[in-house]
Amino acid sequence: MTDQTNDAPQASHGWASPEFQNRLSRRRRSEAILKGVGLGAILFAFLMLGILLWTLISGGTQAFRQTHITLDVPISAELVDAEDPSRGNYRNVMNEAMQVTFPDAEEGDLRALSGIVSNAAQFEVRDRIVADPSLIGQTITIKVPVSDPYDQLNKGNVDTESDETMRRLNDAAIGWFQQLQDEGRISKPINWALITNADSRFPELAGLKGAIIGSFYALLVCFLISFPLGIGAAIYLEEFAPKNRLSDVIEVNINNLAAVPSVVFGLLALAVFLGWFGMPRSAPLVGGMTLALMTMPTIIIATRAALKAVPPSIREAALGVGASKQQVVFGHVLPLAMPGILTGTIIGLAQALGETAPLLLIGMNAFVTAAPSTPLDAATALPTQIFIWADSPERGFVSRTSAAILVLLGFLVMMNALAIFLRNRFERRW
Amino acid sequence: MYDINRAESAVTQQDIKISARNVQVYYGDTHAIKDVNVEILDKTVTAFIGPSGCGKSTFLRCINRMNDSIDIARIEGQIRLDGQDIYDRKVDPVQLRARVGMVFQKPNPFPKSIYDNVAYGPKIHGLARNKAELDEIVEKSLRGSALWNEVKDRLLEPGTGLSGGQQQRLCIARAVATAPEVLLMDEPCSALDPIATGQVEELIEQLRSQFSVVIVTHSMQQAARVSQKTAFFHLGNLVEYGETDDIFTKPQDSRTESYISGRIG
C-alpha cells in the first residue's frame, strides 16, 4: 500500500504523432481483414449449402409426382374364375385392357403396349376383384402408375429428337403414349407411393416406407440403449467416480470412442452381434444396437458437459440442508442439466439417423420389399435405402435418390428443431 | 472507536456446543488449518474474522463436513458436537448437515418455488408427516427469517425472483427449516446492500435465542455488531479467541491488534 511509486510509464510520443497514427491504421486494417475473412467463410458455407439443396430439390422434385394412367379393364369370366378370383390370369386381363384401349394395334405390339402400365396394375386389379367378385364380367376403371420409361417420357427426360436406337422408347411407343395423352388418360398426381410403398425393383413403385420404419425402429432401439446407459455412465463419472488415474484413462477413452470411424462399429457389430450372439441379419434391432455404440460416447460427453455447467452453488445449497449425494444429483443437478442432456442426445440420434457405414456391414442394405413389422424383421434404413437407390441403374431411381435424401434431411431438420424446442422449453435460470 | 450498537453480551447459556481439538486441514500439500482449538458456545453468535485466505471459511466448512466433497482435503484432529466426534465413522455427514445448517456467501436458492425451497430440507429428512405439518414448518421458518410478510402471497413463485437480500433470508429460512442446532454462515452479507445486511444482522440476533450461530465475516464492524465471541484467524492459525468486546478493545496478540486497526489484511 505504502510502496506506491511514481515511475508509471509515461507516453514518450504524442498520441497524434504519425507513428501512432500508422499503428492505429494497421490495427484497424487487420481487424477489418479478420472480419472480412470470417464473413467470407460464412458466405462460402451458405453458398455450398445452397448449391447442395438446389441440386437435391431440382433433382428430387420430379420424384414427388408420378405419372398415372387411367384404364378401362374388362374382366372376362374366362380369365377370372368367380369361384377363386385370387388365382385369375390378371396378366392377360391387362393385355385385354390394352387391346381395348388400342383396338387397331397389331398382335405383335401387344407385349410392348402392356409395358406402358406398371407391373403393379395386375395386382391392383386382382385386389379389386377379390374384394368384390361381382365385378367379374364387367369393365372396371383403374388408375395405376405407368412404367418408368414412360414416366420419364412424361417428365420430359427423354429426348424424342435423338436417334431411335439410343433410347428405351422407340417412336411407336412415343406415339402410343401421345395417343393416351390426347385421350386424357394420363395424369401426374402427387406420388404418395414414395412414402406408402416399400422398396421395389420398379422405380415407379419403389417407396421409403420400409426404410422409414426401419430407421424408426433402429433409432428407438438406439435411444433405449444409449440414453439410460449414457446418462448413467456420465453421472457416475462426473459425480461419483474417484478422481484418479483410472478415471482419467476412462475419460480419454470415451472421448476417443466418439471419434472412432463408424465403420469400425459396424465391424464390431458384425463380429459380436451377428457372429457370436447369432442375431438376425439386416434387423433394425441390431442396427439400433450398433448405432447405440456410436451414440453413447456423444451422449456421455454432452451429459458430462451439462452436469459440469450446473453452478456449484446449487450443489452446495442442497448438500448444506443435508441432502445425500444421490438426492443432490437427481433432485437438483440432473433437472438443471436436462436441457443440455436432451439437446446432446437428439444431436447424437440425428447423427445416428444419417449413419450408413455400420448398417451396410450388418446387412441393412438388403433388398427388402416389405416394411418391417417388428425390429427383428429384415429392413433397410433411410441412408442405406439412399445408398441402394443411388446404385440402381433405372432412370427413375435418380430422382428418387434425391427425393429420399430430401426426406432424410426433413427428418434431421425436425429432430434438430425438437432439440431447440426442448432446450428453450426446459431451460431455467438460476 | 467501535461505538456501535453492539449485540447483547450476556450469554444466556454457557454450554459448549462445539469443541475442536487440534484440528489440521490439508489441501493436497498445503497446510490450510494449523492446530486449531476452539470451543463454541450454545445460543451464542461466534464470529470468525481474519484476512483473506486465513482459513476461517475452511474451518467453518469442517464443522458440517462440507469439505468432504473436496477430494484433496484431509482433516485431522477432533471436532465434537455435543461431545460426539463428527468425524467418527458412525456419524452420517448427511444427517450432520441437517443438524448443522449452512448459509453461503452468495444467495443460492434452488430454482424452485419459495415454498419448495423451504420445504425441501424437512421433506428429505421426513420432518413432516403431512402437508399441514409441512405448511406449518414453512410458515414458521419464513417467519423466523423475517420473510413471511413479504412472500406469504407468492409462495409458489420462484425463489430466484426475489431480491438479493430476500434470497439470502430465504436461504436462512431453508437452513432453519430442518431445526438445526448450529447455523454456519459463510460471509452471508458480502453480496448484499447495507439495508439487506441490516435485516440479516437483525435476524442473526433473533436466531441466537434458538441455537448457536457461527458467522464468517470480512467486516469487523459486522463482527462487533452481531457476535458475542470472536475468533481471529491468521495464516491458518487461530490467533486469538475471546469475548468480542475484549478482542476489539484490548487484543492480546499483536497480530490481532494490527488486523483490527487495519494494518494487515
Side-chain angles (χ1 to χ4, degrees):
Chain A
M1 240 182 187
T2 49
D3 55 8
Q4 213 170 34
T5 50
N6 284 326
D7 53 1
Q10 299 283 317
S12 47
H13 313 278
W15 289 110
S17 71
E19 194 188 330
F20 272 81
Q21 289 302 320
N22 274 338
R23 204 183 158 72
L24 199 61
S25 57
R26 270 207 307 280
R27 278 163 59 173
R28 279 185 188 144
R29 203 159 49 237
S30 61
E31 200 168 304
I33 289 172
L34 182 67
K35 259 192 207 165
V37 168
L39 192 65
I42 290 172
L43 287 178
F44 183 73
F46 267 101
L47 180 72
M48 287 297 144
L49 183 68
I51 292 175
L52 173 78
L53 283 179
W54 184 75
T55 322
L56 285 175
I57 290 170
S58 64
T61 40
Q62 279 196 341
F64 290 112
R65 287 185 175 276
Q66 168 67 40
T67 312
H68 277 62
I69 181 170
T70 311
L71 273 182
D72 300 320
V73 185
I75 314 291
S76 76
E78 288 160 36
L79 292 171
V80 183
D81 184 4
E83 295 298 307
D84 187 6
S86 64
R87 299 187 55 178
N89 188 347
Y90 291 99
R91 182 179 293 271
N92 284 359
V93 169
M94 288 312 296
N95 285 348
E96 264 187 24
M98 292 318 286
Q99 240 163 354
V100 172
T101 316
F102 295 98
D104 44 355
E106 291 164 30
E107 194 70 27
D109 291 334
L110 210 56
R111 202 182 145 76
L113 277 171
S114 58
I116 296 177
V117 182
S118 163
N119 212 32
Q122 49 180 308
F123 304 120
E124 183 160 337
V125 175
R126 182 192 64 193
D127 292 346
R128 291 262 301 263
I129 304 302
V130 169
D132 183 8
S134 68
L135 291 172
I136 295 172
Q138 303 180 19
T139 296
I140 61 170
T141 306
I142 57 167
K143 189 173 164 190
V144 288
V146 301
S147 67
D148 184 48
Y150 292 92
D151 186 36
Q152 297 303 321
L153 174 68
N154 191 37
K155 286 170 178 169
N157 295 338
V158 177
D159 181 9
T160 51
E161 303 296 313
S162 64
D163 184 2
E164 197 182 10
T165 56
M166 298 298 284
R167 45 185 148 93
R168 285 187 69 184
L169 299 179
N170 56 23
D171 289 342
I174 292 171
W176 294 329
F177 191 76
Q178 192 60 49
Q179 188 188 332
L180 287 171
Q181 240 167 350
D182 294 343
E183 290 172 18
R185 293 186 181 277
I186 301 298
S187 59
K188 208 164 80 171
I190 288 174
N191 183 15
W192 291 112
L194 191 67
I195 49 171
T196 58
N197 280 8
D199 198 10
S200 166
R201 210 149 45 85
F202 306 103
E204 72 272 14
L205 301 176
L208 291 169
K209 187 182 174 193
I212 290 172
I213 295 177
S215 267
F216 172 75
Y217 278 143
L219 275 193
L220 187 70
V221 171
C222 171
F223 174 78
L224 290 179
I225 295 174
S226 61
F227 187 68
L229 282 182
I231 290 188
I235 288 176
Y236 177 75
L237 287 172
E238 196 58 41
E239 304 285 341
F240 295 99
K243 302 275 175 287
N244 56 24
R245 186 172 282 272
L246 183 66
S247 13
D248 285 350
V249 170
I250 291 175
E251 177 165 1
V252 168
N253 275 297
I254 287 174
N255 290 342
N256 284 342
L257 218 51
V260 167
S262 54
V263 70
V264 177
F265 288 110
L267 281 170
L268 177 79
L270 179 62
V272 177
F273 297 154
L274 299 189
W276 276 8
F277 300 168
M279 300 183 87
R281 239 168 283 157
S282 308
L285 174 71
V286 183
M289 287 164 70
T290 314
L291 295 175
L293 293 177
M294 276 186 42
T295 313
M296 205 146 59
T298 314
I299 294 183
I300 293 176
I301 292 169
T303 305
R304 292 191 67 175
L307 290 175
K308 245 184 227 158
V310 175
S313 64
I314 295 293
R315 289 165 209 270
E316 283 195 326
L319 282 175
V321 292
S324 68
K325 187 91 190 179
Q326 177 254 332
Q327 285 168 327
V328 173
V329 171
F330 286 92
H332 299 278
V333 178
L334 206 54
L336 290 175
M338 221 48 196
I341 295 174
L342 288 178
T343 311
T345 304
I346 292 171
I347 301 293
L349 287 177
Q351 213 180 346
L353 175 64
E355 201 55 67
T356 323
L359 300 183
L360 297 181
L361 284 162
I362 58 157
M364 282 191 80
N365 57 337
F367 175 65
V368 187
T369 54
S373 47
T374 72
L376 285 165
D377 297 339
T380 53
L382 276 169
T384 48
Q385 191 66 62
I386 291 167
F387 182 81
I388 298 168
W389 283 0
D391 229 16
S392 303
E394 287 86 353
R395 273 300 290 273
F397 279 123
V398 177
S399 59
R400 274 178 165 73
T401 305
S402 297
I405 294 172
L406 285 175
V407 171
L408 178 61
L409 283 180
F411 278 112
L412 288 176
V413 168
M414 266 153 56
M415 288 177 76
N416 282 312
L418 182 69
I420 293 168
F421 170 76
L422 286 176
R423 194 172 51 209
N424 292 342
R425 175 80 178 67
F426 291 114
E427 201 152 56
R428 281 194 275 183
R429 291 180 199 293
W430 47 75
Chain B
M1 190 175 175
Y2 288 102
D3 56 345
I4 31 184
N5 192 2
R6 210 173 290 128
E8 193 79 24
S9 287
V11 175
T12 47
Q13 218 173 335
Q14 292 293 338
D15 296 341
I16 293 169
K17 192 69 192 171
I18 300 164
S19 94
R21 288 271 161 277
N22 307 326
V23 175
Q24 323 275 348
V25 178
Y26 302 89
Y27 283 127
D29 295 332
T30 319
H31 195 171
I33 296 282
K34 296 165 190 158
D35 212 24
V36 167
N37 290 286
V38 68
E39 280 171 351
I40 290 165
L41 302 178
D42 200 11
K43 302 200 187 336
T44 307
V45 178
T46 307
F48 290 177
I49 58 169
S52 296
C54 67
K56 53 193 190 302
S57 283
T58 302
F59 183 69
L60 187 78
R61 296 165 68 95
C62 289
I63 301 174
N64 69 346
R65 295 186 60 174
M66 281 296 274
N67 287 331
D68 284 17
S69 55
I70 301 167
D71 285 334
I72 54 164
R74 204 171 81 246
I75 293 135
E76 286 171 11
Q78 265 191 351
I79 299 178
R80 289 176 175 277
L81 176 67
D82 286 339
Q84 160 91 52
D85 184 1
I86 61 168
Y87 282 90
D88 192 279
R89 210 179 284 195
K90 279 179 293 193
V91 172
D92 179 36
V94 167
Q95 219 161 46
L96 173 75
R97 289 186 200 126
R99 292 174 62 197
V100 183
M102 189 154 190
V103 176
F104 299 86
Q105 189 169 355
K106 229 182 101 199
N108 55 356
F110 300 130
K112 300 176 190 252
S113 70
I114 294 170
Y115 182 92
D116 286 340
N117 261 286
V118 182
Y120 182 71
K123 252 189 222 163
I124 60 171
H125 294 291
L127 301 183
R129 271 169 309 201
N130 52 44
K131 179 88 168 76
E133 272 189 28
L134 195 60
D135 288 348
E136 201 185 307
I137 293 177
V138 169
E139 182 177 341
K140 231 176 78 190
S141 307
L142 284 171
R143 279 190 195 283
S145 58
L147 196 59
W148 177 252
N149 287 331
E150 292 159 64
V151 301
K152 63 182 177 206
D153 299 323
R154 44 177 180 149
L155 287 176
L156 297 180
E157 283 174 32
T160 41
L162 297 172
S163 75
Q166 287 174 324
Q167 284 189 21
Q168 193 62 300
R169 277 181 285 149
L170 178 62
C171 292
I172 293 172
R174 183 175 64 191
V176 168
T178 57
E181 298 157 37
V182 180
L183 186 63
L184 308 177
M185 303 178 117
D186 191 355
E187 297 181 41
C189 302
S190 62
L192 304 184
D193 65 40
I195 293 169
T197 301
Q199 288 168 329
V200 171
E201 284 178 4
E202 216 169 285
L203 180 56
I204 292 170
E205 175 55 24
Q206 288 166 21
L207 293 175
R208 181 168 77 90
S209 62
Q210 300 161 49
F211 40 72
S212 164
V213 178
V214 185
I215 176 170
V216 164
T217 176
H218 264 127
S219 152
M220 282 172 284
Q221 287 89 335
Q222 185 174 55
R225 283 195 297 267
V226 300
S227 72
Q228 290 80 50
K229 291 276 201 176
T230 296
F232 171 64
F233 285 79
H234 187 243
L235 300 175
N237 294 303
L238 176 60
V239 174
E240 199 168 340
Y241 175 55
E243 297 288 326
T244 302
D245 284 354
D246 297 343
I247 295 276
F248 282 102
T249 50
K250 36 184 193 290
Q252 305 293 310
D253 194 287
S254 61
R255 286 170 292 179
T256 316
E257 200 198 341
S258 304
Y259 181 69
I260 59 174
S261 57
R263 283 202 294 277
I264 57 171

